[in-house]
mmCIF file of all heavy atoms in Angstrom:
data_model
loop_
_atom_site.group_PDB
_atom_site.id
_atom_site.type_symbol
_atom_site.label_atom_id
_atom_site.label_comp_id
_atom_site.label_asym_id
_atom_site.label_seq_id
_atom_site.Cartn_x
_atom_site.Cartn_y
_atom_site.Cartn_z
ATOM 1 N N PRO A 1 0.964 23.341 -18.181
ATOM 2 C CA PRO A 1 -0.367 23.258 -17.554
ATOM 3 C C PRO A 1 -1.176 22.052 -18.019
ATOM 4 O O PRO A 1 -1.986 21.525 -17.256
ATOM 5 C CB PRO A 1 -1.040 24.572 -17.976
ATOM 6 C CG PRO A 1 -0.245 25.077 -19.138
ATOM 7 C CD PRO A 1 1.148 24.583 -18.926
ATOM 8 N N ALA A 2 -0.959 21.601 -19.253
ATOM 9 C CA ALA A 2 -1.709 20.427 -19.734
ATOM 10 C C ALA A 2 -1.341 19.181 -18.939
ATOM 11 O O ALA A 2 -2.198 18.349 -18.624
ATOM 12 C CB ALA A 2 -1.436 20.208 -21.220
ATOM 13 N N ILE A 3 -0.050 19.061 -18.622
ATOM 14 C CA ILE A 3 0.394 17.914 -17.815
ATOM 15 C C ILE A 3 -0.038 18.083 -16.365
ATOM 16 O O ILE A 3 -0.442 17.123 -15.706
ATOM 17 C CB ILE A 3 1.920 17.754 -17.917
ATOM 18 C CG1 ILE A 3 2.325 17.472 -19.370
ATOM 19 C CG2 ILE A 3 2.415 16.646 -16.996
ATOM 20 C CD1 ILE A 3 3.818 17.378 -19.574
ATOM 21 N N ALA A 4 0.036 19.313 -15.858
ATOM 22 C CA ALA A 4 -0.333 19.563 -14.460
ATOM 23 C C ALA A 4 -1.787 19.197 -14.196
ATOM 24 O O ALA A 4 -2.127 18.709 -13.113
ATOM 25 C CB ALA A 4 -0.083 21.028 -14.121
ATOM 26 N N SER A 5 -2.663 19.422 -15.172
ATOM 27 C CA SER A 5 -4.082 19.115 -14.978
ATOM 28 C C SER A 5 -4.351 17.617 -14.921
ATOM 29 O O SER A 5 -5.431 17.196 -14.512
ATOM 30 C CB SER A 5 -4.901 19.741 -16.104
ATOM 31 O OG SER A 5 -4.548 19.179 -17.362
ATOM 32 N N ARG A 6 -3.361 16.809 -15.344
ATOM 33 C CA ARG A 6 -3.546 15.355 -15.354
ATOM 34 C C ARG A 6 -2.780 14.653 -14.241
ATOM 35 O O ARG A 6 -2.706 13.434 -14.205
ATOM 36 C CB ARG A 6 -3.096 14.782 -16.703
ATOM 37 C CG ARG A 6 -3.954 15.226 -17.871
ATOM 38 C CD ARG A 6 -3.439 14.657 -19.177
ATOM 39 N NE ARG A 6 -4.337 14.907 -20.280
ATOM 40 C CZ ARG A 6 -4.345 16.020 -21.005
ATOM 41 N NH1 ARG A 6 -3.479 16.994 -20.726
ATOM 42 N NH2 ARG A 6 -5.194 16.168 -21.997
ATOM 43 N N MET A 7 -2.230 15.413 -13.329
ATOM 44 C CA MET A 7 -1.418 14.818 -12.268
ATOM 45 C C MET A 7 -2.224 13.885 -11.370
ATOM 46 O O MET A 7 -1.692 12.911 -10.833
ATOM 47 C CB MET A 7 -0.773 15.920 -11.418
ATOM 48 C CG MET A 7 0.465 16.554 -12.012
ATOM 49 S SD MET A 7 1.841 15.391 -12.198
ATOM 50 C CE MET A 7 1.769 15.052 -13.941
ATOM 51 N N SER A 8 -3.513 14.177 -11.204
ATOM 52 C CA SER A 8 -4.307 13.342 -10.293
ATOM 53 C C SER A 8 -4.391 11.896 -10.783
ATOM 54 O O SER A 8 -4.567 10.970 -9.984
ATOM 55 C CB SER A 8 -5.719 13.916 -10.147
ATOM 56 O OG SER A 8 -6.358 13.979 -11.411
ATOM 57 N N PHE A 9 -4.240 11.686 -12.088
ATOM 58 C CA PHE A 9 -4.316 10.323 -12.613
ATOM 59 C C PHE A 9 -3.087 9.495 -12.228
ATOM 60 O O PHE A 9 -3.117 8.261 -12.332
ATOM 61 C CB PHE A 9 -4.466 10.351 -14.134
ATOM 62 C CG PHE A 9 -5.763 10.968 -14.584
ATOM 63 C CD1 PHE A 9 -5.808 12.249 -15.102
ATOM 64 C CD2 PHE A 9 -6.953 10.269 -14.461
ATOM 65 C CE1 PHE A 9 -7.007 12.814 -15.513
ATOM 66 C CE2 PHE A 9 -8.159 10.823 -14.864
ATOM 67 C CZ PHE A 9 -8.183 12.108 -15.393
ATOM 68 N N LEU A 10 -2.026 10.172 -11.801
ATOM 69 C CA LEU A 10 -0.843 9.436 -11.362
ATOM 70 C C LEU A 10 -1.143 8.568 -10.145
ATOM 71 O O LEU A 10 -0.528 7.527 -9.956
ATOM 72 C CB LEU A 10 0.297 10.397 -11.042
ATOM 73 C CG LEU A 10 1.061 10.994 -12.230
ATOM 74 C CD1 LEU A 10 2.137 11.945 -11.733
ATOM 75 C CD2 LEU A 10 1.671 9.890 -13.083
ATOM 76 N N ARG A 11 -2.106 8.995 -9.317
ATOM 77 C CA ARG A 11 -2.450 8.212 -8.135
ATOM 78 C C ARG A 11 -3.005 6.855 -8.553
ATOM 79 O O ARG A 11 -2.605 5.814 -8.024
ATOM 80 C CB ARG A 11 -3.483 8.956 -7.283
ATOM 81 C CG ARG A 11 -3.050 10.322 -6.832
ATOM 82 C CD ARG A 11 -4.140 11.038 -6.080
ATOM 83 N NE ARG A 11 -4.279 10.539 -4.722
ATOM 84 C CZ ARG A 11 -5.189 10.984 -3.869
ATOM 85 N NH1 ARG A 11 -6.045 11.921 -4.243
ATOM 86 N NH2 ARG A 11 -5.259 10.495 -2.646
ATOM 87 N N TRP A 12 -3.903 6.867 -9.524
ATOM 88 C CA TRP A 12 -4.469 5.608 -9.998
ATOM 89 C C TRP A 12 -3.419 4.767 -10.697
ATOM 90 O O TRP A 12 -3.416 3.535 -10.568
ATOM 91 C CB TRP A 12 -5.645 5.881 -10.940
ATOM 92 C CG TRP A 12 -6.832 6.429 -10.236
ATOM 93 C CD1 TRP A 12 -7.348 7.693 -10.335
ATOM 94 C CD2 TRP A 12 -7.662 5.749 -9.293
ATOM 95 N NE1 TRP A 12 -8.439 7.836 -9.522
ATOM 96 C CE2 TRP A 12 -8.659 6.656 -8.876
ATOM 97 C CE3 TRP A 12 -7.665 4.456 -8.769
ATOM 98 C CZ2 TRP A 12 -9.644 6.307 -7.956
ATOM 99 C CZ3 TRP A 12 -8.644 4.120 -7.844
ATOM 100 C CH2 TRP A 12 -9.614 5.032 -7.447
ATOM 101 N N ALA A 13 -2.536 5.423 -11.432
ATOM 102 C CA ALA A 13 -1.470 4.678 -12.109
ATOM 103 C C ALA A 13 -0.582 3.978 -11.090
ATOM 104 O O ALA A 13 -0.205 2.809 -11.265
ATOM 105 C CB ALA A 13 -0.644 5.616 -12.986
ATOM 106 N N PHE A 14 -0.260 4.677 -10.005
ATOM 107 C CA PHE A 14 0.609 4.090 -8.987
ATOM 108 C C PHE A 14 -0.087 2.921 -8.301
ATOM 109 O O PHE A 14 0.523 1.863 -8.074
ATOM 110 C CB PHE A 14 1.009 5.147 -7.965
ATOM 111 C CG PHE A 14 2.011 4.664 -6.964
ATOM 112 C CD1 PHE A 14 3.360 4.638 -7.272
ATOM 113 C CD2 PHE A 14 1.611 4.206 -5.711
ATOM 114 C CE1 PHE A 14 4.289 4.178 -6.349
ATOM 115 C CE2 PHE A 14 2.531 3.745 -4.789
ATOM 116 C CZ PHE A 14 3.880 3.733 -5.117
ATOM 117 N N VAL A 15 -1.368 3.090 -7.967
ATOM 118 C CA VAL A 15 -2.108 1.991 -7.330
ATOM 119 C C VAL A 15 -2.232 0.816 -8.290
ATOM 120 O O VAL A 15 -2.142 -0.356 -7.891
ATOM 121 C CB VAL A 15 -3.492 2.479 -6.867
ATOM 122 C CG1 VAL A 15 -4.329 1.311 -6.352
ATOM 123 C CG2 VAL A 15 -3.348 3.527 -5.776
ATOM 124 N N GLY A 16 -2.421 1.086 -9.587
ATOM 125 C CA GLY A 16 -2.478 0.015 -10.567
ATOM 126 C C GLY A 16 -1.175 -0.756 -10.663
ATOM 127 O O GLY A 16 -1.168 -1.989 -10.739
ATOM 128 N N LEU A 17 -0.061 -0.027 -10.651
ATOM 129 C CA LEU A 17 1.244 -0.690 -10.659
ATOM 130 C C LEU A 17 1.447 -1.514 -9.385
ATOM 131 O O LEU A 17 2.017 -2.607 -9.434
ATOM 132 C CB LEU A 17 2.356 0.348 -10.801
ATOM 133 C CG LEU A 17 2.446 1.050 -12.154
ATOM 134 C CD1 LEU A 17 3.478 2.179 -12.101
ATOM 135 C CD2 LEU A 17 2.807 0.060 -13.253
ATOM 136 N N LEU A 18 0.982 -0.977 -8.267
ATOM 137 C CA LEU A 18 1.085 -1.719 -7.015
ATOM 138 C C LEU A 18 0.269 -3.004 -7.072
ATOM 139 O O LEU A 18 0.721 -4.064 -6.615
ATOM 140 C CB LEU A 18 0.607 -0.839 -5.857
ATOM 141 C CG LEU A 18 0.697 -1.432 -4.450
ATOM 142 C CD1 LEU A 18 2.134 -1.805 -4.107
ATOM 143 C CD2 LEU A 18 0.142 -0.455 -3.425
ATOM 144 N N LEU A 19 -0.920 -2.938 -7.665
ATOM 145 C CA LEU A 19 -1.746 -4.129 -7.812
ATOM 146 C C LEU A 19 -1.050 -5.168 -8.691
ATOM 147 O O LEU A 19 -1.044 -6.366 -8.371
ATOM 148 C CB LEU A 19 -3.095 -3.749 -8.417
ATOM 149 C CG LEU A 19 -4.050 -4.910 -8.742
ATOM 150 C CD1 LEU A 19 -4.385 -5.692 -7.487
ATOM 151 C CD2 LEU A 19 -5.313 -4.385 -9.402
ATOM 152 N N ALA A 20 -0.442 -4.709 -9.781
ATOM 153 C CA ALA A 20 0.283 -5.636 -10.653
ATOM 154 C C ALA A 20 1.436 -6.300 -9.908
ATOM 155 O O ALA A 20 1.681 -7.511 -10.055
ATOM 156 C CB ALA A 20 0.796 -4.897 -11.889
ATOM 157 N N ALA A 21 2.144 -5.515 -9.088
ATOM 158 C CA ALA A 21 3.249 -6.078 -8.321
ATOM 159 C C ALA A 21 2.755 -7.109 -7.301
ATOM 160 O O ALA A 21 3.404 -8.140 -7.087
ATOM 161 C CB ALA A 21 4.005 -4.958 -7.613
ATOM 162 N N ILE A 22 1.605 -6.848 -6.690
ATOM 163 C CA ILE A 22 1.043 -7.809 -5.726
ATOM 164 C C ILE A 22 0.735 -9.127 -6.421
ATOM 165 O O ILE A 22 1.079 -10.219 -5.927
ATOM 166 C CB ILE A 22 -0.226 -7.228 -5.078
ATOM 167 C CG1 ILE A 22 0.107 -5.999 -4.226
ATOM 168 C CG2 ILE A 22 -0.916 -8.283 -4.213
ATOM 169 C CD1 ILE A 22 -1.118 -5.222 -3.786
ATOM 170 N N VAL A 23 0.070 -9.041 -7.563
ATOM 171 C CA VAL A 23 -0.320 -10.246 -8.289
ATOM 172 C C VAL A 23 0.908 -11.047 -8.728
ATOM 173 O O VAL A 23 0.920 -12.285 -8.687
ATOM 174 C CB VAL A 23 -1.192 -9.873 -9.500
ATOM 175 C CG1 VAL A 23 -1.458 -11.090 -10.366
ATOM 176 C CG2 VAL A 23 -2.507 -9.257 -9.027
ATOM 177 N N LEU A 24 1.966 -10.345 -9.133
ATOM 178 C CA LEU A 24 3.149 -11.032 -9.654
ATOM 179 C C LEU A 24 4.037 -11.607 -8.551
ATOM 180 O O LEU A 24 4.554 -12.719 -8.675
ATOM 181 C CB LEU A 24 3.970 -10.063 -10.520
ATOM 182 C CG LEU A 24 3.355 -9.683 -11.874
ATOM 183 C CD1 LEU A 24 4.185 -8.596 -12.540
ATOM 184 C CD2 LEU A 24 3.253 -10.907 -12.777
ATOM 185 N N TYR A 25 4.227 -10.844 -7.477
ATOM 186 C CA TYR A 25 5.251 -11.207 -6.500
ATOM 187 C C TYR A 25 4.710 -11.638 -5.134
ATOM 188 O O TYR A 25 5.424 -12.302 -4.380
ATOM 189 C CB TYR A 25 6.221 -10.033 -6.300
ATOM 190 C CG TYR A 25 6.906 -9.624 -7.574
ATOM 191 C CD1 TYR A 25 6.574 -8.445 -8.219
ATOM 192 C CD2 TYR A 25 7.882 -10.430 -8.150
ATOM 193 C CE1 TYR A 25 7.203 -8.060 -9.402
ATOM 194 C CE2 TYR A 25 8.521 -10.064 -9.332
ATOM 195 C CZ TYR A 25 8.169 -8.882 -9.946
ATOM 196 O OH TYR A 25 8.798 -8.519 -11.119
ATOM 197 N N ARG A 26 3.486 -11.246 -4.795
ATOM 198 C CA ARG A 26 2.953 -11.629 -3.490
ATOM 199 C C ARG A 26 1.454 -11.875 -3.605
ATOM 200 O O ARG A 26 0.640 -11.199 -2.966
ATOM 201 C CB ARG A 26 3.244 -10.528 -2.458
ATOM 202 C CG ARG A 26 2.907 -10.887 -1.012
ATOM 203 C CD ARG A 26 3.859 -11.887 -0.417
ATOM 204 N NE ARG A 26 3.513 -12.187 0.964
ATOM 205 C CZ ARG A 26 4.206 -13.008 1.750
ATOM 206 N NH1 ARG A 26 5.292 -13.608 1.282
ATOM 207 N NH2 ARG A 26 3.827 -13.228 2.984
ATOM 208 N N PRO A 27 1.031 -12.824 -4.412
ATOM 209 C CA PRO A 27 -0.415 -13.027 -4.623
ATOM 210 C C PRO A 27 -1.152 -13.445 -3.358
ATOM 211 O O PRO A 27 -2.364 -13.239 -3.253
ATOM 212 C CB PRO A 27 -0.458 -14.121 -5.700
ATOM 213 C CG PRO A 27 0.857 -14.820 -5.593
ATOM 214 C CD PRO A 27 1.847 -13.768 -5.194
ATOM 215 N N GLN A 28 -0.463 -14.044 -2.401
ATOM 216 C CA GLN A 28 -1.113 -14.468 -1.159
ATOM 217 C C GLN A 28 -1.272 -13.333 -0.163
ATOM 218 O O GLN A 28 -1.936 -13.490 0.859
ATOM 219 C CB GLN A 28 -0.344 -15.621 -0.514
ATOM 220 C CG GLN A 28 0.983 -15.238 0.106
ATOM 221 C CD GLN A 28 2.138 -15.272 -0.895
ATOM 222 O OE1 GLN A 28 1.934 -15.098 -2.099
ATOM 223 N NE2 GLN A 28 3.344 -15.506 -0.405
ATOM 224 N N GLY A 29 -0.653 -12.164 -0.424
ATOM 225 C CA GLY A 29 -0.778 -11.023 0.468
ATOM 226 C C GLY A 29 0.267 -11.024 1.573
ATOM 227 O O GLY A 29 1.051 -11.962 1.739
ATOM 228 N N ILE A 30 0.273 -9.929 2.342
ATOM 229 C CA ILE A 30 1.241 -9.796 3.439
ATOM 230 C C ILE A 30 0.985 -10.838 4.514
ATOM 231 O O ILE A 30 1.905 -11.470 5.029
ATOM 232 C CB ILE A 30 1.163 -8.373 4.042
ATOM 233 C CG1 ILE A 30 1.507 -7.314 2.984
ATOM 234 C CG2 ILE A 30 2.131 -8.244 5.223
ATOM 235 C CD1 ILE A 30 1.313 -5.891 3.470
ATOM 236 N N LEU A 31 -0.285 -11.014 4.876
ATOM 237 C CA LEU A 31 -0.671 -12.018 5.880
ATOM 238 C C LEU A 31 -1.569 -13.036 5.197
ATOM 239 O O LEU A 31 -2.793 -12.889 5.164
ATOM 240 C CB LEU A 31 -1.417 -11.357 7.051
ATOM 241 C CG LEU A 31 -0.642 -10.332 7.878
ATOM 242 C CD1 LEU A 31 -1.546 -9.704 8.928
ATOM 243 C CD2 LEU A 31 0.566 -10.973 8.537
ATOM 244 N N PRO A 32 -1.003 -14.074 4.625
ATOM 245 C CA PRO A 32 -1.820 -15.047 3.893
ATOM 246 C C PRO A 32 -2.740 -15.830 4.821
ATOM 247 O O PRO A 32 -2.534 -15.894 6.037
ATOM 248 C CB PRO A 32 -0.777 -15.948 3.234
ATOM 249 C CG PRO A 32 0.441 -15.810 4.079
ATOM 250 C CD PRO A 32 0.427 -14.406 4.605
ATOM 251 N N GLU A 33 -3.739 -16.413 4.203
ATOM 252 C CA GLU A 33 -4.674 -17.233 4.973
ATOM 253 C C GLU A 33 -3.961 -18.443 5.558
ATOM 254 O O GLU A 33 -3.135 -19.081 4.905
ATOM 255 C CB GLU A 33 -5.815 -17.711 4.066
ATOM 256 C CG GLU A 33 -6.819 -18.594 4.772
ATOM 257 C CD GLU A 33 -7.896 -19.120 3.849
ATOM 258 O OE1 GLU A 33 -7.806 -18.869 2.636
ATOM 259 O OE2 GLU A 33 -8.818 -19.791 4.338
ATOM 260 N N LYS A 34 -4.298 -18.758 6.800
ATOM 261 C CA LYS A 34 -3.736 -19.933 7.465
ATOM 262 C C LYS A 34 -4.782 -21.031 7.497
ATOM 263 O O LYS A 34 -5.940 -20.792 7.826
ATOM 264 C CB LYS A 34 -3.306 -19.585 8.894
ATOM 265 C CG LYS A 34 -2.170 -18.578 8.957
ATOM 266 C CD LYS A 34 -1.813 -18.279 10.401
ATOM 267 C CE LYS A 34 -0.681 -17.263 10.498
ATOM 268 N NZ LYS A 34 -0.351 -16.940 11.902
#
């Protein structure tokens, strides 16, 4: 139950990892400025 009560923080962790991946591998974004 202690871990279950903290599951909602996984959403922020996943978005944070996604942000790190964007900065490292695709800093210009999916549709970069032309």
